[in-house]
Amino acid sequence: MNQAQRLLNLFVSLTGRGADQPMTQVWSAVFELNPQSQSIEDDVMVCLLALRSEIDSVSNKLISHDVNTELMEPGFSRFKATASPQYINQNWDGLRGNIQAPECRLSFLWAAWALREEDDDDIQAQDKAAIEDALIVLEKALAESNISPYLKSFVQRQVTAIRNALRIAKVQGAEPLREAMRKFAGDLKVEDTKFKAAISESPEEAKITLKAMAEVIEKAAKICDGANKVWSFTQSIGGLVSDLMLPYVK
């Protein structure tokens, strides 16, 4: 689907929610987040910021296609206003009337049609679940291992980047995960010497953590490959993993 179609899906999901619900609960359902998470407000906030950014991105793309900005209204501006973090603790009843007008939905229907030739890839639910399961294994290994503060920080940075990418995948598709893979590749190249030295000085138990990290990266790279027609993430990222990590964890 294209970016505008994804926005339309989110808009339809939001406007279809029942009345008398706090916005945190409404947004957690729209973004398919765990409402019982201790960090649910932070998770919703991250998604709201991503949504507002995506609305701007689609708007700019339509303008670059010479689409009249009047055709984006009132849907785009009202959706972005409703997604403001300032309303996160308010009730849906006080906001829904302004955005449920039929003409708001028409803005996104038109935008999706205008970008019909474009294809912005998504992460399938089963693929997302597979990475999340692998991340749980990695975080458990990281918590239980006695590795150096540097290696722990390096691994945790990748975990955070990938989790954030998965969190906003409902809003921005596969691109955030591709960006997380690029970040991993960049970190590994820039910190090559320091990374190798840290691994060589690590205890035997570090192998468990590094194997778990390699599995997360491999799964993520393969998913990015499925959503990318130009650059092979599996070949490029996989090569880095093999060259810099796996020799130390066999």
Side-chain angles (χ1 to χ4, degrees):
M1 71 176 71
N2 60 53
Q3 286 178 280
Q5 179 65 54
R6 191 181 298 116
L7 287 181
L8 173 62
N9 291 346
L10 292 170
F11 178 86
V12 170
S13 178
L14 172 65
T15 54
R17 299 293 152 188
D20 195 26
Q21 297 181 63
M23 287 309 296
T24 301
Q25 181 178 330
V26 170
W27 284 122
S28 65
V30 171
F31 297 133
E32 297 181 358
L33 302 171
N34 177 9
Q36 305 305 319
S37 170
Q38 293 183 343
S39 62
I40 186 59
E41 283 200 10
D42 291 337
D43 295 344
V44 168
M45 192 74 72
V46 168
C47 290
L48 288 177
L49 294 176
L51 174 57
R52 288 168 62 84
S53 175
E54 193 73 353
I55 292 171
D56 287 341
S57 175
V58 174
S59 178
N60 290 333
K61 182 172 288 188
L62 289 168
I63 291 172
S64 72
H65 284 61
D66 296 323
V67 174
N68 191 318
T69 56
E70 292 182 0
L71 295 172
M72 306 176 208
E73 298 303 332
F76 277 55
S77 60
R78 291 188 186 181
F79 195 20
K80 185 176 179 181
T82 302
S84 173
Q86 69 178 314
Y87 298 130
I88 193 171
N89 292 315
Q90 293 197 20
N91 196 285
W92 177 221
D93 277 356
L95 298 170
R96 61 200 296 260
N98 189 49
I99 197 175
Q100 287 186 321
E103 57 268 27
C104 290
R105 184 169 179 268
L106 284 176
S107 300
F108 296 101
L109 286 169
W110 162 247
W113 180 87
L115 299 179
R116 63 193 179 283
E117 300 298 329
E118 299 191 7
D119 184 20
D120 194 65
D121 303 294
D122 290 286
I123 299 176
Q124 300 303 313
Q126 64 270 24
D127 292 331
K128 181 180 178 183
I131 300 181
E132 289 174 337
D133 288 345
L135 282 170
I136 291 173
V137 173
L138 172 55
E139 288 175 318
K140 183 175 185 294
L142 187 63
E144 295 175 351
S145 66
N146 184 29
I147 61 177
S148 69
Y150 164 74
L151 270 182
K152 184 165 288 191
S153 174
F154 182 94
V155 174
Q156 187 59 58
R157 287 204 313 269
Q158 312 314 318
V159 169
T160 299
I162 293 171
R163 277 211 179 278
N164 285 340
L166 295 178
R167 187 176 294 116
I168 62 175
K170 188 75 176 175
V171 180
Q172 297 184 347
E175 182 56 30
L177 185 60
R178 285 196 288 264
E179 186 57 37
M181 291 297 93
R182 296 185 192 104
K183 179 184 181 300
F184 167 75
D187 286 354
L188 214 49
K189 285 184 177 181
V190 170
E191 303 181 35
D192 180 9
T193 302
K194 188 175 182 179
F195 187 79
K196 286 180 177 178
I199 292 178
S200 66
E201 297 167 1
S202 294
E204 187 73 11
E205 63 186 272
K207 293 181 179 180
I208 299 174
T209 301
L210 294 174
K211 282 182 179 179
M213 180 176 177
E215 289 179 8
V216 169
I217 296 299
E218 182 180 20
K219 289 179 185 295
K222 286 182 177 178
I223 290 170
C224 288
D225 255 5
N228 188 69
K229 309 299 186 294
V230 179
W231 189 57
S232 173
F233 281 84
T234 301
Q235 181 178 350
S236 301
I237 300 295
L240 284 171
V241 172
S242 297
D243 292 343
L244 298 179
M245 292 179 67
L246 297 188
Y248 301 93
V249 299
K250 289 181 180 178

